[in-house]
Amino acid sequence: MLANRLKILLAERDLTIKDLMAATGLSRNSLSNMINNPFANIATDNVDKLCNYLEVSPKDFYDYSGWRFNYELLIDGSSSKEKAENEPLELRLKVSMISGKMRRVFELSYVLKYDMDYGDGGEHDAFVEAYQMDGADKLFIDVYKKISPLFKHQIESELLQPVPVILELANSCGEFDNQKEAMNVQFVYTDFGNNVVFQNDFIYDRSSAEHQKQTDKLMEGFRKYMNSKNDSKKK
């Protein structure tokens, strides 16, 4: 993976987008895209302009990891209210990691729970736990722990993608009928020894019109996410 460090470089130098615009002639939209999307493609000429102004080499302008990751959500189409009453809802995320000729593929299981013995110990209405039962994600976790914060954040964003989906499935199955409207949910990714790799807390709002907006936004965002993954595979 290759990502630009423009946002970090600007912060280190106390510079603004206006400073870059004046010095390089690049547009606000182009610069905003580079800053907000560090994985965006940047023309060589623009990289040259930015490196020249910031007085860095390309190796300092970019952050690099020798691994590439692909993610594919696997949904069980048989999810129903009857199923939810008898067993936990479960999704699976297929993760592929590639470096040179090395390729590792494994699946993470995502399960909705209401009681957990680990995490941060806070008060939560529900948990979504991600885990790999056979420990096939050990290399993935090792890589995650060693890469830069920029790539860590990217991986975390990808692993969080199934969370709103499993919550929406549970809600549509009636599993949250006795829960309060604004649920305090924690996502926890654990390793083979039940140690927390990372966790994330958020509010899942089920309230009337606001919930419908949120639902539509989450599911539309997920559809776009999956379409972009499929499009990238075709290229």
Short mmCIF file of all heavy atoms in Angstrom, two decimals, residues 24-48:
data_model
loop_
_atom_site.label_atom_id
_atom_site.label_comp_id
_atom_site.label_asym_id
_atom_site.label_seq_id
_atom_site.Cartn_x
_atom_site.Cartn_y
_atom_site.Cartn_z
N THR A 24 2.27 26.33 -5.10
CA THR A 24 2.35 25.30 -6.15
C THR A 24 1.43 25.54 -7.34
O THR A 24 1.62 24.95 -8.39
CB THR A 24 2.00 23.92 -5.55
OG1 THR A 24 0.62 23.93 -5.12
CG2 THR A 24 2.89 23.59 -4.37
N GLY A 25 0.41 26.40 -7.15
CA GLY A 25 -0.54 26.62 -8.23
C GLY A 25 -1.60 25.53 -8.34
O GLY A 25 -2.44 25.56 -9.25
N LEU A 26 -1.57 24.56 -7.43
CA LEU A 26 -2.58 23.49 -7.45
C LEU A 26 -3.90 24.00 -6.89
O LEU A 26 -3.92 24.89 -6.03
CB LEU A 26 -2.08 22.30 -6.63
CG LEU A 26 -0.81 21.62 -7.15
CD1 LEU A 26 -0.36 20.53 -6.18
CD2 LEU A 26 -1.05 21.02 -8.53
N SER A 27 -5.00 23.44 -7.37
CA SER A 27 -6.32 23.91 -6.95
C SER A 27 -6.67 23.41 -5.56
O SER A 27 -6.12 22.41 -5.06
CB SER A 27 -7.39 23.42 -7.93
OG SER A 27 -7.57 22.02 -7.82
N ARG A 28 -7.62 24.12 -4.93
CA ARG A 28 -8.08 23.72 -3.59
C ARG A 28 -8.69 22.32 -3.63
O ARG A 28 -8.45 21.50 -2.73
CB ARG A 28 -9.11 24.72 -3.06
CG ARG A 28 -9.70 24.32 -1.70
CD ARG A 28 -10.69 25.35 -1.21
NE ARG A 28 -10.02 26.60 -0.85
CZ ARG A 28 -9.45 26.82 0.32
NH1 ARG A 28 -9.45 25.87 1.25
NH2 ARG A 28 -8.88 27.97 0.58
N ASN A 29 -9.48 22.03 -4.67
CA ASN A 29 -10.12 20.71 -4.77
C ASN A 29 -9.08 19.59 -4.86
O ASN A 29 -9.22 18.54 -4.20
CB ASN A 29 -11.04 20.65 -5.99
CG ASN A 29 -12.32 21.43 -5.78
OD1 ASN A 29 -12.68 21.75 -4.64
ND2 ASN A 29 -13.00 21.76 -6.86
N SER A 30 -8.05 19.81 -5.67
CA SER A 30 -7.00 18.78 -5.81
C SER A 30 -6.28 18.55 -4.50
O SER A 30 -6.06 17.40 -4.08
CB SER A 30 -5.99 19.19 -6.89
OG SER A 30 -6.59 19.24 -8.16
N LEU A 31 -5.92 19.63 -3.83
CA LEU A 31 -5.20 19.51 -2.57
C LEU A 31 -6.07 18.90 -1.48
O LEU A 31 -5.60 18.08 -0.68
CB LEU A 31 -4.68 20.88 -2.13
CG LEU A 31 -3.57 21.47 -3.02
CD1 LEU A 31 -3.31 22.93 -2.65
CD2 LEU A 31 -2.29 20.65 -2.88
N SER A 32 -7.34 19.29 -1.44
CA SER A 32 -8.26 18.73 -0.44
C SER A 32 -8.41 17.23 -0.65
O SER A 32 -8.46 16.45 0.32
CB SER A 32 -9.63 19.40 -0.53
OG SER A 32 -9.55 20.76 -0.16
N ASN A 33 -8.47 16.82 -1.91
CA ASN A 33 -8.59 15.39 -2.21
C ASN A 33 -7.36 14.63 -1.75
O ASN A 33 -7.45 13.53 -1.20
CB ASN A 33 -8.79 15.18 -3.71
CG ASN A 33 -9.03 13.72 -4.06
OD1 ASN A 33 -9.86 13.06 -3.45
ND2 ASN A 33 -8.27 13.21 -5.02
N MET A 34 -6.18 15.20 -1.96
CA MET A 34 -4.94 14.55 -1.53
C MET A 34 -4.90 14.41 0.00
O MET A 34 -4.47 13.39 0.54
CB MET A 34 -3.73 15.36 -1.98
CG MET A 34 -3.53 15.45 -3.47
SD MET A 34 -2.13 16.54 -3.85
CE MET A 34 -2.49 16.98 -5.56
N ILE A 35 -5.34 15.46 0.69
CA ILE A 35 -5.29 15.48 2.15
C ILE A 35 -6.32 14.53 2.75
O ILE A 35 -6.04 13.77 3.68
CB ILE A 35 -5.50 16.91 2.68
CG1 ILE A 35 -4.30 17.79 2.31
CG2 ILE A 35 -5.72 16.91 4.19
CD1 ILE A 35 -4.52 19.27 2.57
N ASN A 36 -7.54 14.58 2.22
CA ASN A 36 -8.63 13.77 2.78
C ASN A 36 -8.62 12.32 2.31
O ASN A 36 -9.22 11.46 2.94
CB ASN A 36 -9.98 14.41 2.44
CG ASN A 36 -10.15 15.78 3.07
OD1 ASN A 36 -9.70 16.00 4.19
ND2 ASN A 36 -10.77 16.70 2.35
N ASN A 37 -7.95 12.07 1.19
CA ASN A 37 -7.85 10.71 0.65
C ASN A 37 -6.40 10.40 0.37
O ASN A 37 -5.93 10.54 -0.76
CB ASN A 37 -8.69 10.58 -0.62
CG ASN A 37 -8.63 9.18 -1.21
OD1 ASN A 37 -8.19 8.25 -0.53
ND2 ASN A 37 -9.03 9.03 -2.46
N PRO A 38 -5.65 9.99 1.38
CA PRO A 38 -4.21 9.76 1.21
C PRO A 38 -3.87 8.66 0.21
O PRO A 38 -2.72 8.55 -0.21
CB PRO A 38 -3.74 9.38 2.63
CG PRO A 38 -4.96 8.95 3.34
CD PRO A 38 -6.09 9.74 2.77
N PHE A 39 -4.87 7.85 -0.18
CA PHE A 39 -4.61 6.77 -1.13
C PHE A 39 -4.93 7.18 -2.57
O PHE A 39 -4.87 6.38 -3.49
CB PHE A 39 -5.41 5.53 -0.74
CG PHE A 39 -5.04 4.99 0.61
CD1 PHE A 39 -5.74 5.37 1.75
CD2 PHE A 39 -3.97 4.12 0.76
CE1 PHE A 39 -5.39 4.90 3.00
CE2 PHE A 39 -3.61 3.63 2.01
CZ PHE A 39 -4.32 4.03 3.13
N ALA A 40 -5.29 8.46 -2.77
CA ALA A 40 -5.61 8.95 -4.11
C ALA A 40 -4.36 8.99 -4.98
O ALA A 40 -3.24 9.19 -4.49
CB ALA A 40 -6.22 10.35 -4.01
N ASN A 41 -4.55 8.79 -6.28
CA ASN A 41 -3.44 8.90 -7.22
C ASN A 41 -3.07 10.37 -7.40
O ASN A 41 -3.95 11.23 -7.52
CB ASN A 41 -3.83 8.31 -8.58
CG ASN A 41 -3.98 6.80 -8.53
OD1 ASN A 41 -3.23 6.13 -7.82
ND2 ASN A 41 -4.93 6.26 -9.26
N ILE A 42 -1.78 10.65 -7.41
CA ILE A 42 -1.29 12.02 -7.61
C ILE A 42 -0.33 12.02 -8.79
O ILE A 42 0.58 11.19 -8.86
CB ILE A 42 -0.55 12.54 -6.35
CG1 ILE A 42 -1.43 12.41 -5.12
CG2 ILE A 42 -0.13 13.99 -6.55
CD1 ILE A 42 -0.74 12.82 -3.83
N ALA A 43 -0.56 12.93 -9.72
CA ALA A 43 0.31 13.03 -10.88
C ALA A 43 1.76 13.29 -10.45
O ALA A 43 2.01 14.02 -9.48
CB ALA A 43 -0.17 14.15 -11.81
N THR A 44 2.69 12.70 -11.18
CA THR A 44 4.11 12.84 -10.85
C THR A 44 4.55 14.30 -10.77
O THR A 44 5.30 14.70 -9.87
CB THR A 44 4.98 12.10 -11.89
OG1 THR A 44 4.56 10.74 -11.96
CG2 THR A 44 6.45 12.15 -11.51
N ASP A 45 4.05 15.11 -11.70
CA ASP A 45 4.42 16.52 -11.71
C ASP A 45 3.96 17.23 -10.44
O ASP A 45 4.66 18.09 -9.89
CB ASP A 45 3.81 17.21 -12.94
CG ASP A 45 4.26 18.65 -13.08
OD1 ASP A 45 5.49 18.88 -13.04
OD2 ASP A 45 3.40 19.54 -13.21
N ASN A 46 2.77 16.85 -9.95
CA ASN A 46 2.26 17.46 -8.71
C ASN A 46 3.05 17.00 -7.48
O ASN A 46 3.27 17.78 -6.56
CB ASN A 46 0.78 17.13 -8.54
CG ASN A 46 -0.08 17.82 -9.57
OD1 ASN A 46 0.33 18.82 -10.18
ND2 ASN A 46 -1.28 17.31 -9.80
N VAL A 47 3.45 15.73 -7.49
CA VAL A 47 4.29 15.25 -6.40
C VAL A 47 5.60 16.04 -6.37
O VAL A 47 6.09 16.43 -5.31
CB VAL A 47 4.59 13.74 -6.56
CG1 VAL A 47 5.60 13.27 -5.51
CG2 VAL A 47 3.31 12.92 -6.43
N ASP A 48 6.15 16.27 -7.55
CA ASP A 48 7.40 17.04 -7.65
C ASP A 48 7.23 18.45 -7.08
O ASP A 48 8.09 18.94 -6.33
CB ASP A 48 7.82 17.10 -9.12
CG ASP A 48 9.14 17.83 -9.30
OD1 ASP A 48 10.12 17.47 -8.63
OD2 ASP A 48 9.19 18.77 -10.12
#
